[in-house]
Amino acid sequence: MRQSATRTAVPAQSSGSAHTPGLDRFNAVPPAEAEAALLECCGSHRWAQRLTAHRPYPDLDALLAAADEAGYDLSPAHLAEALAVEVSPGLHDTAPHSAHLALRAAHAAYESRFGHVFVMCMDGLDPAEQPDQVLAGIRRRLGHEPDQERVVTADEMRRLARGRIIELVSDSCG
């Protein structure tokens, strides 16, 4: 299952290293395996196919740059495809019931207005700040016009994909 859009463990910047074992492994796996791994980073088949087709990548920065470029080129339909497999950011089970209710209501309002889940990259934020940031983000973005929100959502998806790629390449070391 896709992880929540509130990943925080990995910074959104690359390590700058030339060849890592994880990147070497990613470059060497069969295309179908690379594409499947990339679909876990961003659910657009076009995006994953494009990144797979351009392997091998000389370093993580090149892979991240290609991911950004492919993200900027996503059509509204491809962005909708990616959003269809995303999971809305939630709260830890120990959060107060009232916080869960407020977040559920905010997500419902957002999805009703824009027709897709709310996504927000939370890299670098303390987990204790996440609930407030998610609620504030939803409330702020509910005021956007649909075209403006589409741009913001696409940017958040690119940020999420970058962090997930960093995790993918780091996790591929074993």
Side-chain angles (χ1 to χ4, degrees):
M1 181 175 195
R2 175 168 306 270
Q3 63 186 335
S4 169
T6 59
R7 263 183 333 85
T8 58
V10 178
Q13 298 174 347
S14 72
S15 64
S17 60
H19 278 309
T20 64
L23 180 63
D24 289 341
R25 182 182 180 303
F26 171 76
N27 281 331
V29 297
E33 188 176 331
E35 186 175 329
L38 288 166
L39 282 169
E40 290 297 315
C41 299
C42 176
S44 164
H45 283 82
R46 181 175 188 270
W47 180 89
Q49 290 165 351
R50 184 170 167 183
L51 290 177
T52 299
H54 287 92
R55 292 177 314 146
Y57 293 96
D59 55 40
L60 181 55
D61 288 336
L63 174 55
L64 294 173
D68 284 345
E69 183 179 331
Y72 285 118
D73 291 344
L74 288 180
S75 69
H78 292 118
L79 180 59
E81 177 187 30
L83 288 167
V85 297
E86 285 297 319
V87 175
S88 296
L91 299 175
H92 191 274
D93 291 340
T94 60
H97 181 66
S98 59
H100 284 280
L101 290 175
L103 186 59
R104 243 191 323 266
H107 279 300
Y110 180 91
E111 290 179 30
S112 174
R113 175 151 167 74
F114 297 112
H116 58 80
V117 299
F118 175 81
V119 292
M120 181 178 200
C121 183
M122 304 293 276
D123 288 345
L125 283 179
D126 183 303
E129 297 174 18
Q130 291 178 9
D132 291 337
Q133 291 297 320
V134 171
L135 280 170
I138 291 173
R139 289 179 182 135
R140 180 178 62 255
R141 289 168 54 186
L142 277 169
H144 289 173
E145 291 300 317
D147 288 342
Q148 179 186 17
E149 183 56 21
R150 202 171 3 265
V151 170
V152 172
T153 298
D155 187 54
E156 291 295 325
M157 286 297 300
R158 279 188 295 279
R159 293 178 61 212
L160 286 167
R162 286 178 66 87
R164 291 169 179 167
I165 287 170
I166 292 168
E167 285 180 356
L168 170 70
V169 173
S170 297
D171 291 347
S172 295
C173 294

